């Protein structure tokens, strides 16, 4: 499983123009976690939608901070969807930095479990719907609303502490 994480990390960083990654995880051990995301954009980005996947362990409670919150209105729901957009057309320029801090809660009975933290775009071009049960989104849009090439570098987190799992 850990080799899969390494492979996904390598592939995501090689092929995608606009990438998110887990910079750090702050876990208080009492069921509260903050996942800090960083970005590297080759394109100007006009907004995003992503489903933060945590093997069903984390219930999102919010998202704030970082350059995404400075550029856009950011909202979340308990199922893990995070949206960022601007009615006035504000964008993020190409570059890199701190993207967003995502907060959530988890059942402390999961302490010690290795959890994959990721986001995947699984909606194929021409699909009639991308919001069916089981569909997940990881999409950045251009200022004109077109989908941009994007990826998320999967991380492994040990629930109950702030460790990022060893990928070796």
């Amino acid at each position: 499983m850990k080799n899969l994480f390494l492979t996904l990390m390598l592939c995501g960083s090689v092929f995608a123009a606009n990438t998110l990654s887990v910079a750090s995880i702050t876990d208080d051990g009492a069921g509260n976690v903050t996942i800090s995301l960083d970005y590297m954009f080759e394109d100007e980005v006009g907004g995003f939608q992503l489903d933060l996947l945590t093997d069903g362990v984390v219930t999102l409670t919010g998202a704030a901070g970082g350059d995404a919150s400075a550029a856009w209105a950011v909202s979340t729901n308990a199922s893990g969807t995070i949206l960022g957009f601007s009615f006035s057309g504000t964008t993020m320029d190409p570059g890199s930095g701190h993207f967003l801090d995502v907060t959530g809660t988890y059942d402390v009975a999961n302490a010690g479990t290795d959890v994959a933290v990721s986001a995947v775009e699984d909606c194929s071009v021409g699909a009639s719907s991308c919001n069916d049960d089981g569909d997940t989104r990881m999409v950045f849009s251009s200022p004109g609303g077109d989908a941009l090439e994007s990826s998320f570098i999967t991380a492994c987190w040990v629930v109950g502490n702030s460790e990022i799992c060893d990928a070796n």
Side-chain angles (χ1 to χ4, degrees):
M1 175 78 91
K2 291 181 182 180
N3 288 335
L4 175 62
F5 293 130
L6 183 58
T7 302
L8 290 172
M9 289 172 44
L10 179 61
C11 290
S13 64
V14 170
F15 297 111
N18 304 293
T19 303
L20 292 181
S21 61
V22 176
S24 66
I25 296 177
T26 305
D27 184 332
D28 68 1
N32 302 293
V33 63
T34 300
I35 301 169
S36 295
L37 304 177
D38 282 354
Y39 70 96
M40 185 170 48
F41 292 163
E42 291 182 10
D43 298 307
E44 182 179 15
V45 176
F48 72 96
Q49 176 181 344
L50 70 91
D51 294 314
L52 190 66
L53 306 174
T54 59
D55 297 336
V57 172
V58 175
T59 300
L60 291 190
T61 57
D67 294 342
S69 289
W72 305 307
V74 176
S75 63
T76 63
N77 68 23
S79 65
T81 300
I82 307 167
L83 296 172
F85 64 93
S86 169
F87 286 115
S88 64
T90 303
T91 63
M92 284 180 63
D93 291 327
S96 61
H98 178 62
F99 188 69
L100 193 64
D101 293 317
V102 180
T103 57
T105 60
Y106 63 87
D107 184 340
V108 294
N110 290 311
T113 304
D114 290 358
V115 171
V117 179
S118 65
V120 176
E121 174 60 39
D122 71 356
C123 182
S124 60
V125 174
S128 60
S129 173
C130 293
N131 296 309
D132 297 325
D133 286 344
D135 287 343
T136 63
R137 302 304 311 262
M138 167 61 190
V139 62
F140 292 108
S141 64
S142 71
D146 298 313
L148 297 170
E149 182 181 345
S150 62
S151 72
F152 190 103
I153 299 174
T154 300
C156 177
W157 160 51
V158 179
V159 178
N161 61 54
S162 300
E163 274 184 57
I164 302 287
C165 307
D166 182 11
N168 294 322

